[in-house]
């Protein structure tokens, strides 16, 4: 009997000590330190912060987990950060200074010699074709701009292509990216043409299809004077316009500002899987009509009754002036997205998203009706091992934050195999509704209940007042010449949706436990604090 009593007392004592250490002690620590001290995640202070303007939403607190301990260990220690800038403070944080392993030939997408040789051949071929075209145009009195291509081995777009590796499209501090954004924004356009997918349609569309081809999006491939190439998507609607409730996601307009905002959001989340995008005012007469050699593209230009220059898509079902976009009178804003290296030197494959939506008015996919869908996916290669499923979670979180329901496929570079990152292409259908959070976009996360530790820590960081997502997005987007890129309701929606992502993770942890939900991803750094090295070492042991 006495032994039973001792065992009972010992059990209650252990429970009390655990409760004190993990629950009461953090709360007492918060009262002593006060709410103003900086830390990585809201839970590390043992309190729930309330979002401004959303009093019912509180920061999820993943208590009794090592997230609390790790958050304390990776506190921002860089005293030289730009403390007047939230964006500068964010990028100075240790979580944004994790070093990737040393890159070997297998980890780099391209080598300098093959890339330079490939594009020198393309420049030579371009010059021959333009010479022949200019002679033919002069014979029939067609005006062609005489812009000369200046191939520069140090061009920003070449540096961007050479910087692509197994882990991301570009390094966090790659100086070529700001230069590339500036070039796409201001460099002379020497050629404009339809994109390859629209050329493949040859103007023929099946109007009986529910999902129409890409023709009505009016994407154009533009070649710059330094032989860089960018995809231009013109403005189709005002920023203040929300997608109507009766419009299906697969027939929604593409938005140029969503492409720009998606690049900035992807960089802030530290994924770096969206090619650089910048806004630009394009002169339709000079940059498109007079620079194109495609007669089909020339044929769709006209002057509106308001004396504005307009053009529309060649695709038959939108081959009408009411589907046109017009300049004021020639200037039209749009997004310029950097092209990736050509498929002949950097092949990619397109893979259907397991959580693809039904592109019909009435149909449903299996994941929409089967809550255990992920259990099946986890048994299928390549989702049963490696990083592929974790990268799908990253993509789902990225899409949910901007409200993009149109992620039917994703692409990867074939060189990196199944462990390569997913390219976050074609984001123009994001940021359509700020007043609605489409929770079905988070189905991969809520069904699989798995997330990268680094992703979760950055999301928690972006929920703090010192690094609030809406604030750093506003600051980052303010660098674009077409700002404001997003309206304030869209920026506030980012904070609300981030809250929902964290709550989804919290529910998974409560149901399955932290060990099954939060998965370690590789981190290694020569510049991070020793405490973070200790965390990385302990994670590897697990």
């Amino acid at each position: 009997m006495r032994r039973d009593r001792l065992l009972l007392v010992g059990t209650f004592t252990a429970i009390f000590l655990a409760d004190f250490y993990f629950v009461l002690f953090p709360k007492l620590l918060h009262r002593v330190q006060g709410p103003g001290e900086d830390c990585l995640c809201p839970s590390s202070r043992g309190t729930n912060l309330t979002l401004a303007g959303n009093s019912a939403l509180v920061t999820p607190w993943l208590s009794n987990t090592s997230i609390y301990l790790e958050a304390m260990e990776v506190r921002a220690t860089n005293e030289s950060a730009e403390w007047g800038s939230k964006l500068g403070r964010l990028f100075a944080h240790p979580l944004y200074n994790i070093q990737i392993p040393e890159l070997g030939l297998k980890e780099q997408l391209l080598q300098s010699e093959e890339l330079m040789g490939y594009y020198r051949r393309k420049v030579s071929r371009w010059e021959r074709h333009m010479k022949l075209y200019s002679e033919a145009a002069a014979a029939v009195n067609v005006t062609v701009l005489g812009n000369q291509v200046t191939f520069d081995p140090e061009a920003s777009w070449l540096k961007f292509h050479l910087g692509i590796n197994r882990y991301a499209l570009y390094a966090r501090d790659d100086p070529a990216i700001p230069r590339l954004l500036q070039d796409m924004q201001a460099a002379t356009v020497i050629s404009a043409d339809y994109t390859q997918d629209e050329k493949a349609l040859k103007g023929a569309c099946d109007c009986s299809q529910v999902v129409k081809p890409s023709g009505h999006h009016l994407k154009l491939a533009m070649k710059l004077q330094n032989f860089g190439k960018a995809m231009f998507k013109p403005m189709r609607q005002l920023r203040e316009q929300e997608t109507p409730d009766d419009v299906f996601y697969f027939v929604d307009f593409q938005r140029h500002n969503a492409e720009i905002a998606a690049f900035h959001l992807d960089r802030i989340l530290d994924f770096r899987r969206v090619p650089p995008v910048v806004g630009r005012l394009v002169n339709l007469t000079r940059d498109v009509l007079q620079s194109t050699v495609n007669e089909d593209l020339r044929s769709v230009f006209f002057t509106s009754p308001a004396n504005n220059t307009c053009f529309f898509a060649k695709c038959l079902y939108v081959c009408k002036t009411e589907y046109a976009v017009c300049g004021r009178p020639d200037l039209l804003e749009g997004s310029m997205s950097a092209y990736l290296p050509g498929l002949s030197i950097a092949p990619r494959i397109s893979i259907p998203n397991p959580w693809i939506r039904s592109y019909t008015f009435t149909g449903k996919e299996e994941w929409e009706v089967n809550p255990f869908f992920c259990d099946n996916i986890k048994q299928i290669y390549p989702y049963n091992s490696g990083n592929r499923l974790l990268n799908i979670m990253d993509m789902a979180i990225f899409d949910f934050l901007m409200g993009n329901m149109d992620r039917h496929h994703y692409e990867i570079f074939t060189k990196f195999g199944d462990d390569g990152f997913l390219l976050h292409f074609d984001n123009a259908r994001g940021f359509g509704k700020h007043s609605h959070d489409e929770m079905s976009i988070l189905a991969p996360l809520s069904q699989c209940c798995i997330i990268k530790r680094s992703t979760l820590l950055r999301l928690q960081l972006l929920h703090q007042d010192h690094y609030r997502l809406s604030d750093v997005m506003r600051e980052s987007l303010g660098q674009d010449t077409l700002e404001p890129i997003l309206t304030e309701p869209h920026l506030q929606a980012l904070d609300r949706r981030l809250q929902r992502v964290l709550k989804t993770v919290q529910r998974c942890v409560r149901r399955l436990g932290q060990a099954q939900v939060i998965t370690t991803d590789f981190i290694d750094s020569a510049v991070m604090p020793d405490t973070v090295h200790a965390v990385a070492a302990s994670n590897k042991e697990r």
Side-chain angles (χ1 to χ4, degrees):
M1 181 67 70
R2 184 173 301 173
R3 182 179 301 177
D4 293 341
R5 291 181 179 178
L6 289 175
L7 181 61
L8 186 62
V9 171
T11 301
F12 280 115
T13 302
I15 294 174
F16 172 77
L17 290 175
D19 187 64
F20 175 79
Y21 182 78
F22 288 107
V23 180
L24 298 178
F25 179 72
K27 292 183 178 180
L28 292 173
L29 187 64
H30 166 69
R31 292 185 180 182
V32 173
Q33 291 179 342
E37 295 195 10
D38 183 25
C39 67
L40 181 123
C41 70
S43 62
S44 65
R45 292 200 290 261
T47 186
N48 291 338
L49 299 178
T50 302
L51 277 174
N54 296 282
S55 57
L57 300 177
V58 295
T59 303
W61 179 19
L62 300 178
S63 61
N64 301 345
T65 70
S66 63
I67 288 294
Y68 165 74
L69 299 176
E70 291 173 7
M72 294 297 290
E73 289 177 325
V74 293
R75 294 175 65 163
T77 58
N78 192 338
E79 298 297 335
S80 61
E82 301 176 46
W83 295 110
S85 162
K86 286 191 176 183
L87 188 64
R89 185 162 62 239
L90 179 74
F91 289 152
H93 194 279
L95 279 174
Y96 288 78
N97 288 275
I98 300 173
Q99 298 300 305
I100 63 174
E102 184 177 353
L103 297 176
L105 295 179
K106 293 182 179 180
E107 282 71 41
Q108 295 172 321
L109 180 65
L110 296 169
Q111 301 303 308
S112 179
E113 295 77 11
E114 65 171 328
L115 184 65
M116 297 301 175
Y118 173 79
Y119 278 107
R120 282 194 175 96
R121 292 191 297 272
K122 292 199 70 171
V123 170
S124 298
R125 186 163 61 248
W126 163 265
E127 291 175 339
R128 290 195 303 270
H129 288 174
M130 286 306 297
K131 181 179 180 180
L132 294 174
Y133 183 81
S134 297
E135 292 173 353
V140 294
N141 295 323
V142 174
T143 302
V144 179
L145 293 181
N147 295 317
Q148 298 296 319
V149 175
T150 56
F151 180 74
D152 179 12
E154 299 297 319
S156 58
W157 62 271
L158 278 173
K159 296 295 184 183
F160 163 55
H161 288 179
L162 287 174
I164 301 174
N165 58 64
R166 180 182 296 276
Y167 305 102
L169 285 175
Y170 55 90
R172 298 179 181 91
D173 55 351
D174 188 351
I177 302 305
R179 287 175 48 212
L180 177 59
L181 295 175
Q182 185 176 5
D183 289 345
M184 290 193 295
Q185 184 183 74
T188 300
V189 176
I190 61 170
S191 172
D193 201 353
Y194 287 122
T195 57
Q196 289 300 321
D197 56 349
E198 290 173 339
K199 284 184 177 181
L201 294 173
K202 295 181 179 179
C205 300
D206 181 2
C207 292
S208 65
Q209 295 178 358
V210 173
V211 184
K212 300 298 189 287
S214 61
H216 73 292
H217 299 318
L218 295 175
K219 299 178 293 186
L220 295 178
M222 291 190 167
K223 200 179 298 291
L224 306 179
Q225 194 164 20
N226 64 0
F227 212 68
K229 193 175 180 182
M231 179 183 291
F232 174 72
K233 290 186 178 181
M235 179 176 72
R236 298 303 304 270
Q237 63 183 44
L238 298 177
R239 292 158 175 74
E240 294 76 16
Q241 291 178 278
E242 278 200 278
T243 300
D245 292 336
D246 291 329
V247 171
F248 286 88
Y249 50 87
F250 47 78
V251 292
D252 191 13
F253 273 129
Q254 293 204 0
R255 287 169 284 276
H256 72 296
N257 62 312
E259 288 281 12
I260 301 169
F263 164 66
H264 288 260
L265 177 62
D266 175 82
R267 184 179 62 160
I268 285 171
L269 294 173
D270 201 38
F271 294 152
R272 289 168 287 129
R273 300 165 197 169
V274 174
V277 186
V278 71
R280 174 166 177 159
L281 277 175
V282 168
N283 187 305
L284 294 179
T285 300
R286 181 191 66 223
D287 297 332
V288 181
L289 179 60
Q290 294 180 357
S291 67
T292 186
V293 298
N294 188 320
E295 293 303 321
D296 286 337
L297 181 54
R298 282 177 172 270
S299 68
V300 296
F301 272 81
F302 66 96
T303 301
S304 73
N307 206 33
N308 292 324
T309 300
C310 309
F311 75 108
F312 50 88
K314 189 66 177 178
C315 191
L316 297 179
Y317 79 95
V318 288
C319 190
K320 300 177 182 178
T321 57
E322 57 261 39
Y323 292 104
V325 293
C326 301
R328 296 291 186 273
D330 293 287
L331 296 179
L332 176 65
E333 68 175 67
S335 64
M336 296 282 280
S337 306
Y339 266 75
L340 294 176
L343 293 176
S344 58
I345 59 172
R348 306 187 302 269
I349 57 174
S350 178
I351 302 172
N353 185 356
W355 281 267
I356 188 173
R357 293 178 179 275
S358 173
Y359 280 72
T360 65
F361 293 129
T362 58
K364 285 186 178 295
E365 295 292 327
E366 182 183 351
W367 67 267
E368 297 179 273
V369 296
N370 179 10
F372 304 104
F373 174 76
C374 189
D375 293 338
N376 299 328
I377 292 297
K378 288 180 179 180
Q379 307 303 317
I380 302 173
Y381 182 83
Y383 303 106
N384 58 354
S385 63
N387 294 320
R388 183 67 65 83
L389 189 59
L390 287 169
N391 288 335
I392 291 284
M393 300 303 113
D394 286 347
M395 185 172 67
I397 292 170
F398 173 65
D399 285 336
F400 175 72
L401 290 174
M402 61 180 179
N404 178 25
M405 301 172 65
D406 193 35
R407 189 71 65 188
H408 44 80
H409 286 74
Y410 61 84
E411 293 189 21
I412 60 173
F413 290 108
T414 57
K415 179 176 180 178
F416 301 139
D418 292 328
D419 289 332
F421 62 89
L422 313 185
L423 291 164
H424 295 170
F425 268 151
D426 198 6
N427 304 296
R429 281 180 171 150
F431 296 104
K433 292 182 179 180
H434 57 74
S435 58
H436 174 68
D437 301 337
E438 183 53 55
M439 296 304 296
S440 63
I441 303 175
L442 270 187
L445 179 63
S446 61
Q447 291 180 358
C448 296
C449 274
I450 186 172
I451 188 173
K452 292 179 183 177
R453 187 180 303 273
S454 62
T455 298
L456 178 57
L457 288 174
R458 284 193 296 270
L459 293 176
Q460 291 175 322
L461 184 70
L462 289 166
H463 204 279
Q464 286 192 75
D465 287 336
H466 285 179
Y467 312 94
R468 190 170 297 280
L469 179 56
S470 60
D471 292 339
V472 293
M473 271 291 287
R474 186 184 299 104
E475 183 179 346
S476 184
L477 293 172
Q479 302 169 4
D480 197 281
T481 57
L482 298 185
E483 63 96 18
I485 302 300
L486 294 178
T487 61
E488 279 300 314
H490 278 295
L491 292 171
Q492 297 303 318
L494 286 172
D495 293 332
R496 185 180 68 243
R497 291 167 184 166
L498 175 57
Q499 170 79 17
R500 296 189 183 278
V501 174
L502 293 176
K503 281 194 170 185
T504 300
V505 176
Q506 183 187 39
R507 285 193 293 269
C508 288
V509 169
R510 286 176 175 171
R511 182 162 58 91
L512 300 175
Q514 177 182 307
Q516 291 192 37
V517 176
I518 305 170
T519 301
T520 300
D521 50 334
F522 178 79
I523 61 172
D524 190 15
S525 173
V527 299
M528 290 188 64
D530 292 338
T531 51
V532 178
H533 279 300
V535 171
S538 64
N539 288 337
K540 289 180 181 178
E541 292 175 0
R542 296 174 195 167

